[in-house]
Amino acid sequence: MARRGKKKGRPVSGWVVLDKPVGMGSTEAVSKIKWLFQAEKAGHAGTLDPLASGMLPIALGEATKTVPYVQDGAKVYRFTVAWGEERSTDDLEGPVTNSSDRRPTEAELRALLPKYIGVIMQTPPQFSAIKIAGERAYDLARDGETVEIPAREIEIGRLDIVEHGTDKTVFEVECGKGTYVRSLARDMGRDLGCFGHIAELRRVEVEPFTPEDFVTVAELEAARFGGRTEAGPDEAAIPVDFSAIDALLVETAVALDCLPQVAVSDDAATKIRLGNPVIIRGRDAPVEAEEACATARGKLVAIGAIEQGMFKPKRVFAG
């Protein structure tokens, strides 16, 4: 039998809240961050199209176990809709498929917005990662196929007009998991009889992270290479100090702010990491919770359930 190879990279854990630039794909961004940190493993919490910029939370190491909680968090986008043209991709990338000389007034837009607030049904774009009969919709669309993509339920908390001009309108939307902003532009354009597509898209928040957590590729490179944008020719021969770049990480536990928090002792933490339940002490400790996270000295220990005053671990984190 072949022997399993050693893991390559450092066992570093935490979140990089990347301010992704336009033109960089989400997979490319993850590879770049993984390389900069020399991390064992990395993954992102929600794809951001290459033509979009903004918040792409990237998990390193143990933080990858908390990705689903960030994916489920509310997101805030600021986007510009260009009126008068509908495109195959619902953004600037695709060719024009419908056009109109009509332009909406601000009053018409404000009258329309309530239709898109709350729990609504939305049909994803033809160019999306939705699977149809086992294939990605964007692969079928690139082959020239038009497929029926079923509408699905999404939730929009707010949709505001930031700035309105004759040919373009800037919006800000707070929405839940699975919302396609490109579909919003397409559907509003159709409702208004003028067509529309995304001309600019920026994700400004992914709960629980905020714009204060943003870090750019340039800042990460400067921290990693001491002001240089890339490694020098003798880099491999020089011991690398990762302290500056590691300082830019957000703690893994921040991703679980949505869960009840239980502080445990070092002894209890050791038992939990071995998969054993422990009695929860303290006046403010919850008695029952389907999901909660245990911490020791501010560090994440495990995700688990609280039943009858006991914390029962389901997923543990390395100390």
Side-chain angles (χ1 to χ4, degrees):
M1 290 178 64
R3 297 178 66 182
R4 184 176 294 178
K6 276 188 173 182
K7 284 186 178 179
K8 294 181 179 179
R10 301 189 300 137
V12 58
S13 296
W15 283 91
V16 178
V17 185
L18 183 68
D19 189 348
K20 186 191 82 65
V22 171
M24 178 180 279
S26 296
T27 302
E28 179 188 355
V30 171
S31 297
K32 177 76 171 181
I33 299 309
K34 186 179 180 183
W35 176 76
L36 282 170
F37 281 87
Q38 293 295 293
E40 282 182 351
K41 56 184 176 180
H44 66 73
T47 301
L48 202 53
D49 293 338
L51 289 181
S53 69
M55 190 172 288
L56 180 66
I58 297 175
L60 301 181
E62 292 286 276
T64 57
K65 297 176 182 177
T66 66
V67 163
Y69 298 90
V70 177
Q71 286 179 325
D72 287 344
K75 299 166 181 65
V76 178
Y77 295 88
R78 183 164 288 209
F79 62 102
T80 301
V81 178
W83 305 113
E85 292 180 347
E86 184 171 302
R87 294 174 177 247
S88 63
T89 56
D90 300 316
D91 60 18
L92 288 170
E93 197 170 23
V96 176
T97 54
N98 286 298
S99 62
S100 171
D101 293 330
R102 191 181 184 284
R103 297 295 181 269
T105 65
E106 185 170 349
E108 288 175 318
L109 283 169
R110 292 195 181 280
L112 178 66
L113 293 187
K115 177 180 176 179
Y116 291 94
I117 297 172
V119 177
I120 66 171
M121 299 300 291
Q122 184 187 71
T123 302
Q126 289 286 311
F127 284 82
S128 64
I130 300 295
K131 281 193 173 182
I132 305 294
E135 294 191 64
R136 298 290 184 186
Y138 53 65
D139 289 329
L140 296 171
R142 286 180 186 131
D143 290 339
E145 292 187 46
T146 300
V147 295
E148 288 292 325
I149 303 177
R152 57 186 186 173
E153 194 175 87
I154 63 163
E155 185 170 5
I156 295 179
R158 64 179 176 88
L159 178 58
D160 301 321
I161 296 172
V162 176
E163 184 180 342
H164 176 69
T166 303
D167 296 313
K168 293 181 179 180
T169 306
V170 181
F171 298 90
E172 189 167 279
V173 63
E174 181 179 341
C175 55
K177 181 180 179 181
T179 303
Y180 279 92
V181 181
R182 285 181 290 140
S183 291
L184 274 179
R186 176 201 67 205
D187 293 344
M188 286 193 291
R190 290 176 180 178
D191 282 344
L192 292 162
C194 64
F195 303 114
H197 65 274
I198 293 288
E200 190 173 345
L201 175 63
R202 179 169 176 78
R203 189 157 66 193
V204 294
E205 283 189 43
V206 178
E207 193 178 32
F209 305 114
T210 69
E212 286 71 35
D213 298 315
F214 265 137
V215 64
T216 64
V217 171
E219 288 169 337
L220 291 166
E221 288 176 334
R224 172 71 169 77
F225 300 119
R228 289 173 288 138
T229 57
E230 59 183 28
D234 300 322
E235 189 74 25
I238 302 171
V240 180
D241 180 5
F242 287 96
S243 59
I245 194 169
D246 287 352
L248 298 175
L249 286 168
V250 176
E251 285 281 349
T252 299
V254 171
L256 301 176
D257 281 352
C258 57
L259 298 181
Q261 309 286 309
V262 177
V264 299
S265 67
D266 290 344
D267 287 344
T270 300
K271 292 177 182 177
I272 289 171
R273 287 194 173 106
L274 291 172
N276 298 313
V278 297
I279 296 173
I280 300 302
R281 305 185 187 280
R283 185 178 58 188
D284 299 324
V287 177
E288 299 284 334
E290 288 186 8
E291 273 196 312
C293 67
T295 61
R297 299 176 184 265
K299 296 289 186 180
L300 188 58
V301 177
I303 300 170
I306 300 175
E307 298 173 0
Q308 298 178 334
M310 295 192 74
F311 180 86
K312 298 181 178 181
K314 295 179 179 176
R315 191 153 206 182
V316 300
F317 295 80

